[in-house]
Amino acid sequence: MSRRRQIYEGKAKILYEGPEPGTIIQYFKDDATAFNAEKKGTINGKGVINNRISEHIFTLLGHIGIPTHFIRRLNMREQLVKQVEIVPIEVIVRNVAAGSLSKRLGIEEGTPLPHTLLEYCYKDDALGDPLVAEEHIACFGWASQEEMQDISAMAIRINDFMAGMFAGIGIRLVDFKLEFGRVFEGDFSRIILADEISPDGCRLWDIKTDEKLDKDRFRRDLGGEAEAYQEVARRLGLFPEGVSEVTDLNSERKKRGK
Ligand code: UDP
């Protein structure tokens, strides 16, 4: 196969030019970073699992009418998606206090919030993705007010759906991050859900034990991160053949020297 043109390499994914105009291939790596890439490592098989989990969630969100960039999964580590112009805002949806919210406001981790909280961060690694208000977003033209209405309404629907889905498999959806993009149709553009949804960008706690099943295991050196990601996939009913195939495939890849 001819080598595809690489468009961008991020912390957890590589983007390649897709087979048709307006499409992109997302390749999911095992690389993990935290604290704005100050901490680096790998989580064995993470890319394969995140590809499947994200496919699963984006497909279900599509079924409830959320427009997404997802087209189809191509193989264990790649999916075909629509090319979008990324809105430079990370949307953080919170149901329970944790992480930076707990630190910033001195609220104990695990405190349920009286209602879902939406926060916005400006996507800029050099600045450390600072928290911004909707006023900043409007003032600097990162997204229009109309776009922000679509984004916030979608984020709330996505949260309602995902919180229910995870509760059904014994997982509390504490918080998560979403990214949106613009697709252009003639003179108009519309907002669709982009990027990925996986344990890399969600806090997922076991409902009974509060055990963390997400990237905090890596961030906080708790160990067992690969097993935690596998557990989320298993509870979602993915990899019915057994997740060992993930690591098997990994070692095969290594043998081929790729
Ligand atoms: N998050 C993310 N990417 C980021 C920042 C946050 O995926 O660049 C996710 C993170 O995994 C968590 C949620 O957004 O599920 C809220 O993160 P928080 O603001 O508490 O930041 P953190 O404590 O991870 O620095």
Side-chain angles (χ1 to χ4, degrees), residues 87-222:
V87 175
I89 301 294
E90 293 191 343
V91 180
I92 310 284
V93 187
R94 299 184 185 272
N95 299 307
V96 176
S100 69
L101 175 76
S102 290
K103 231 187 202 167
R104 204 181 328 122
L105 301 179
I107 300 168
E108 196 184 342
E109 281 212 317
T111 310
L113 300 174
H115 63 80
T116 300
L117 196 57
L118 292 187
E119 291 179 340
Y120 305 106
C121 295
Y122 178 50
K123 260 173 77 73
D124 186 316
D125 282 339
L127 298 175
D129 299 341
L131 183 72
V132 293
E134 285 202 65
E135 279 76 5
H136 296 96
I137 299 172
C139 183
F140 298 110
W142 295 324
S144 71
Q145 251 145 357
E146 227 178 22
E147 287 176 329
M148 286 312 291
Q149 271 170 16
D150 287 350
I151 286 173
S152 56
M154 271 192 247
I156 293 291
R157 282 197 69 207
I158 292 167
N159 180 55
D160 286 345
F161 176 81
M162 280 181 36
M165 177 188 77
F166 280 117
I169 54 170
I171 291 175
R172 177 173 302 127
L173 179 60
V174 171
D175 58 32
F176 60 101
K177 188 254 305 183
L178 296 172
E179 292 189 28
F180 293 87
R182 300 182 182 96
V183 277
F184 293 90
E185 284 151 12
D187 288 343
F188 297 94
S189 71
R190 63 190 181 96
I191 293 286
I192 67 175
L193 179 67
D195 193 42
E196 67 176 285
I197 300 180
S198 72
D200 266 6
C202 301
R203 283 198 171 90
L204 304 169
W205 296 356
D206 183 273
I207 282 179
K208 286 204 190 112
T209 65
D210 276 347
E211 190 192 355
K212 296 183 200 316
L213 300 171
D214 55 59
K215 207 168 88 174
D216 271 350
R217 299 208 73 84
F218 170 77
R219 289 191 193 99
R220 302 181 186 190
D221 294 319
L222 300 174

